[in-house]
Amino acid sequence: MQPIFKISALMTLLLTSFAHANTANQSDDNHIAVQKINTIQVKGNRTPSTRTVTAAKLDEATDTQLKEVLKKEPSITFGGGNGTSQYLYIRGMGQNSIDVKLDNAYSDSQIHYHQGRHMLDPALVKIVAVQKGAGSASAGIGQTNGAIIAKTIDAADLLKNSSNPNFGVKLNAGYNSNDGHNYGLSVFGKQGMFDYLIAGNRSNESEYKGGKDYVNPFTGSKIVPYSALDKTSYLAKIGATLGDHRLVLSHLNEQHEGERTVREEFPIDDVSTGSRLTTARQSPADRKMSVTNTNLEWTGKNLGFIQEAAANVYRLVQGRWSANDSGNGYAGGDKNQGSTKVKAVTTGLNINFDSALHENVLLKYGVNYRHQEAKP
């Protein structure tokens, strides 16, 4: 498959607008009096185009996946069940027109068109924001219908709640009634200008019960077959702060593993109904999906003409391994009797600057570069 190159340059000029009302007594050449105009005040409530879920809200919940974090956001819809069987929509537009940015690293590659490509463990992030609708020029490459923007946790965020200002340990555990549990450990601290964080989390979710009126076509129960997942994630991060400058190097890895169907967004149907989604065509097998992101980020402020600046370079790898892909119509069909492996590798660079040209004029400019390549 040929590599895909994308590059964009951006410049956005933001102007604040003013409303002004005045009153006057005027007369024309015929000395006709003009009645005084009273000032009219118009007030309204604007629904923000960006909605944010903070670390405080995440700590109060037992969410283990992105769908649960954003369940109260009316503009977002998740189709499918657990893990990468979920399809993401913002205002009805599908995931191929939506960016999911984690520490400003993102890609629109996909491994298989019958499954999602996004993973996000709430235990490792401090903020999740939703941008609805078309993005501004400064939104970067690919955001045509919206974006989900997340930031991973920092040592400084966790030290705020630690009794020791320089070192801390965090343990977390949770249980959900639909047969799942999770647990995790974080170690963090700082020494001088440096800070560090190592965090890991694991979620074991058994086959869950379906919603109202769902019936398993094989057993007659409400248990959804091939819905179990073993999820693991870890984050390693080291940062340095010197005055108005900060440099952070991080490495994130997330993996979902379980006996899954080849078309994850569809269930297996009873063959007697005439459905094409039979067990043979759905080809259940042990499968793994993974996302790995290595990111180097710099931020600075008060740089003369430049008020704020941010830059990052990243390598994002999305991978899938299947124990057996024979008989399902993909990966060579019956000719392939063994395991298969595929990955999509994205390398990118983002540079963004903010400069105040006037008290009410902000200039945003920068460059985004991205190179994507699928490797079957």
Side-chain angles (χ1 to χ4, degrees), residues 240-299:
T241 303
L242 183 60
D244 290 332
H245 300 270
R246 178 163 174 78
L247 192 67
V248 178
L249 175 64
S250 63
H251 181 76
L252 173 74
N253 181 272
E254 296 191 59
Q255 177 179 285
H256 293 179
E257 180 179 4
E259 189 175 8
R260 311 288 279 176
T261 60
V262 67
R263 302 165 184 83
E264 289 195 23
E265 69 167 316
F266 300 132
I268 293 181
D269 292 333
D270 187 351
V271 66
S272 64
T273 64
S275 172
R276 297 176 67 245
L277 297 173
T278 62
T279 304
R281 292 195 77 248
Q282 283 286 59
S283 184
D286 186 24
R287 293 186 168 95
K288 298 178 185 178
M289 283 287 295
S290 63
V291 174
T292 301
N293 180 36
T294 302
N295 186 61
L296 177 63
E297 181 180 35
W298 165 79
T299 55

Side-chain angles (χ1 to χ4, degrees), residues 89-105:
Y89 304 84
I90 294 182
R91 290 178 172 171
M93 303 303 295
Q95 61 181 21
N96 293 339
S97 301
I98 298 169
D99 280 339
V100 177
K101 301 179 180 179
L102 185 59
D103 290 338
N104 211 25

Side-chain angles (χ1 to χ4, degrees), residues 157-179:
D157 303 314
L158 298 176
L159 285 171
K160 293 177 182 178
N161 300 319
S162 175
S163 58
N164 187 327
N166 297 313
F167 179 78
V169 175
K170 177 183 176 181
L171 295 171
N172 63 275
Y175 171 79
N176 65 71
S177 60
N178 208 351
D179 210 1

